[in-house]
Amino acid sequence: MDTGIRIAIIDDHPLFRAGVIHILSARPDLDVVGQGASASDAISVARNESPDLLILDVSIPGGGLDALESIVAECPKTKVIMLTVSVDKPDVLKALRLGARGYVVKGVSGTDLVQALLIVAQGDRYISPSLGAMLLSDFDHTKTATRGKAIDDLSHREGEVLALVTQGLSNKEIGIRLNLSDKTVKHYMTSVFQKLHVRNRLEAALLVRKPVNVPANDASRIAENRSPSGN
């Protein structure tokens, strides 16, 4: 019986699709259970295979965003990650609003793609760092006036956790950096969301338009706790 993360990929370029499948199939913890080239293929695979993750291109025949909307509504247990060349702001924002759990720009390395998939599989969200500045410019500017006070309301430890969230770290990675259990990190994350009035880690990271201040001695300690591989 398969014990790995079950993944499907939908992309209308056969060579690219085959390359991604090759990368994923080399991992014992990832199991490719379906593939396709169109929106109808995506919906069919989601319904019939119920993958844990579904990789979807925005520009497939039939529309990747239309497929995303249907899959989120009909197959809520399947998390959708957009893997596409499109960095158009309307596409990115619409995908996130429709329920995509990740948005990755093609050209990413195989290692980074796998890391993004693992982050989403753990229940977190992932977006390519190159899109961060673009999204910041479109984020709700009405929250800017209250941002400083909201950040100031965070405890020292909550500030440390938020600083690492803005670096794209998962809860597990944050726990390793700060020597905290997963349960404790989740507790701090819940408190941060409530104080910043955001719904998830992506909104929290977008709200922070400049690095969260961490005292120099604590910043040094965090850096020292990093493993050589950066995990």
Side-chain angles (χ1 to χ4, degrees):
M1 184 175 71
D2 296 325
T3 58
I5 300 169
R6 304 175 72 255
I7 302 175
I9 175 169
I10 310 297
D11 191 288
D12 60 333
H13 293 88
L15 187 59
F16 177 81
R17 191 170 70 240
V20 173
I21 291 173
H22 176 74
I23 291 171
L24 301 184
S25 298
R27 298 262 315 196
D29 55 342
L30 303 179
D31 182 26
V32 178
V33 298
Q35 60 175 299
S38 66
S40 59
D41 288 343
I43 296 169
S44 177
V45 168
R47 288 172 177 168
N48 297 331
E49 300 297 336
S50 298
D52 300 309
L53 304 177
L54 188 143
I55 301 171
L56 186 62
D57 190 357
V58 168
S59 59
I60 55 174
L65 295 178
D66 289 336
L68 167 64
E69 186 171 16
S70 296
I71 292 167
V72 169
E74 297 182 32
C75 310
K77 292 184 179 180
T78 294
K79 300 179 179 70
V80 179
I81 301 95
M82 311 307 293
L83 178 60
T84 179
V85 297
S86 176
V87 292
D88 291 339
K89 187 179 296 184
D91 283 345
V92 179
L93 294 176
K94 185 174 182 180
L96 296 176
R97 288 168 182 153
L98 288 176
R101 303 302 296 270
Y103 200 104
V104 182
V105 179
K106 284 184 177 179
V108 66
S109 70
T111 299
D112 287 343
L113 173 60
V114 169
Q115 181 64 18
L117 295 175
L118 295 177
I119 288 173
V120 173
Q122 291 170 359
D124 295 324
R125 295 175 185 267
Y126 180 90
I127 183 168
S128 290
S130 61
L131 297 175
M134 180 190 71
L135 291 181
L136 281 174
S137 68
D138 195 76
F139 194 63
D140 186 1
H141 294 289
T142 62
K143 294 184 179 180
T144 303
T146 60
R147 172 194 172 274
K149 184 178 184 305
I151 296 297
D152 289 342
D153 286 342
L154 298 180
S155 69
H156 178 74
R157 181 62 87 182
E158 289 166 349
E160 287 184 313
V161 170
L162 180 58
L164 295 177
V165 167
T166 64
Q167 296 177 30
L169 273 65
S170 67
N171 286 353
K172 183 176 181 180
E173 291 170 324
I174 291 172
I176 293 173
R177 297 281 181 91
L178 300 180
N179 195 27
L180 300 173
S181 68
D182 287 350
K183 183 177 181 180
T184 300
V185 173
K186 290 179 181 178
H187 169 76
Y188 282 123
M189 288 301 305
T190 298
S191 180
V192 168
F193 292 166
Q194 291 175 344
K195 289 183 179 181
L196 298 185
H197 304 289
V198 297
R199 295 169 296 179
N200 53 58
R201 65 199 304 113
L202 176 60
E203 290 186 1
L206 291 176
L207 185 61
V208 181
R209 295 174 180 273
K210 60 182 179 180
V212 176
N213 291 326
V214 179
N217 60 328
D218 290 310
S220 297
R221 176 172 54 77
I222 292 172
E224 290 170 357
N225 286 338
R226 293 180 179 176
S227 66
S229 63
N231 293 329

